[in-house]
Amino acid sequence: MKHTITFLSLILFSISLQGQTGDVIKLNPPSTDKGHSIMKSLWVRSSTRAYSPGELSLQDLSDLVWAAVGINRPESKKLTSPTAQNSQDVILYVCRPDGTYLYNSADHCLIQVNKTDLRPFMEGERSTKAHTILLLVADISKYRGYAAGSPNNKHYYEMGAVDCGIVSQNIALFCAGMGLGTVPRAQMNKAAIKDELKLTDTQYLWLNHPVGYLKEK
Ligand SMILES: Cc1cc2nc3c(=O)[nH]c(=O)nc-3n(C[C@H](O)[C@H](O)[C@H](O)COP(=O)(O)O)c2cc1C
């Protein structure tokens, strides 16, 4: 009887752990000087859809998310990627087998928001099997002047798409410069992802970027 109770307690404990979110991955400070020159990066950039298996090192992951939407001017809290009105409307999620993490640029850390593997919703027929997929969402409620039902919202919707495109190119050039592979992808199961991440109606899913180390040629 005592063993049964202990066993049941262990099961309940592990179930509650599985449901737990809010775990934080503390990232390394972003590198200050690394990778190819900007010209070489432009020469080698291309979309790649096959990577070596395995996850990114903590340093590469830290540099990657910082390159996307990290703070590069602490005094003004401005970012590596420009945004219309400096709205900073792009939300960056890091999707991995153990769940989804939100990049917090102010604290340069990843905060777990769910324990669901969302990657299958982004992998179609040409699956990359990447361990890490970045997901770009624009939140138009971040714009000065946004108001529910306002005709201006179409403009903010368009600016959100543009801002995600700029972040996408930061990611692509970072990857090209660091010997990593990536591809911007618009195709994904948006309804399923929106549901899993509990996105609001002002938060639009635009692109995802699988990222991995290039295969040896
Ligand atoms: C806005 C946008 C959406 C894209 N969506 C997808 C996609 O859903 N799936 C995919 O495999 N590639 C996607 N791509 C990658 C393009 O197919 C790729 O950039 C194009 O073939 C040119 O190749 P390159 O990037 O190597 O120059 C997308 C690219 C852009 C810019």
Side-chain angles (χ1 to χ4, degrees):
M1 182 65 180
K2 194 174 154 202
H3 287 305
T4 313
I5 291 172
T6 310
F7 181 64
L8 282 173
S9 311
L10 271 177
I11 290 179
L12 285 173
F13 180 64
S14 76
I15 288 172
S16 76
L17 270 187
Q18 280 165 20
Q20 185 178 305
T21 54
D23 288 352
V24 173
I25 298 179
K26 199 173 169 314
L27 297 169
N28 289 350
S31 302
T32 52
D33 190 7
K34 207 173 175 187
H36 300 321
S37 70
I38 191 68
M39 289 309 286
K40 171 104 191 254
S41 304
L42 286 163
W43 276 107
V44 300
R45 188 217 64 84
S46 70
S47 292
T48 55
R49 298 177 178 82
Y51 320 112
S52 297
E55 61 187 278
L56 303 177
S57 71
L58 181 63
Q59 189 63 56
D60 285 340
L61 177 64
S62 306
D63 290 345
L64 171 67
V65 293
W66 181 83
V69 285
I71 293 177
N72 67 356
R73 286 152 291 168
E75 65 288 355
S76 61
K77 297 192 170 55
K78 287 187 174 174
L79 308 179
T80 51
S81 46
T83 56
Q85 281 186 9
N86 188 30
S87 59
Q88 307 199 353
D89 55 337
V90 181
I91 305 169
L92 182 73
Y93 290 103
V94 178
C95 307
R96 315 190 327 162
D98 60 330
T100 313
Y101 295 78
L102 177 70
Y103 176 53
N104 178 322
S105 58
D107 295 330
H108 189 52
C109 66
L110 299 176
I111 301 167
Q112 189 156 28
V113 293
N114 78 21
K115 298 226 167 190
T116 310
D117 182 1
L118 299 185
R119 297 171 308 152
F121 296 129
M122 294 168 242
E123 297 277 26
E125 281 168 15
R126 291 199 281 182
S127 172
T128 63
K129 301 186 180 65
H131 172 274
T132 301
I133 304 183
L134 302 183
L135 182 62
L136 309 186
V137 173
D139 185 349
I140 65 167
S141 72
K142 295 281 178 75
Y143 282 95
R144 275 191 313 278
Y146 166 81
S150 162
N152 292 339
N153 293 349
K154 180 172 178 290
H155 174 67
Y156 301 138
Y157 174 79
E158 290 167 357
M159 290 302 102
V162 172
D163 289 347
C164 281
I166 291 170
V167 172
S168 167
Q169 190 66 349
N170 272 26
I171 294 167
L173 287 177
F174 169 82
C175 288
M178 300 293 285
L180 292 163
T182 192
V183 54
R185 299 186 303 194
Q187 273 189 358
M188 56 187 137
N189 185 340
K190 292 187 179 181
I193 298 168
K194 183 176 178 188
D195 189 47
E196 287 285 349
L197 291 177
K198 300 183 178 55
L199 298 182
T200 68
D201 287 341
T202 64
Q203 296 173 335
Y204 292 92
L205 279 155
W206 285 111
L207 289 169
N208 72 78
H209 267 268
V211 179
Y213 294 107
L214 292 174
K215 282 189 167 164
E216 298 287 331
K217 288 201 177 132

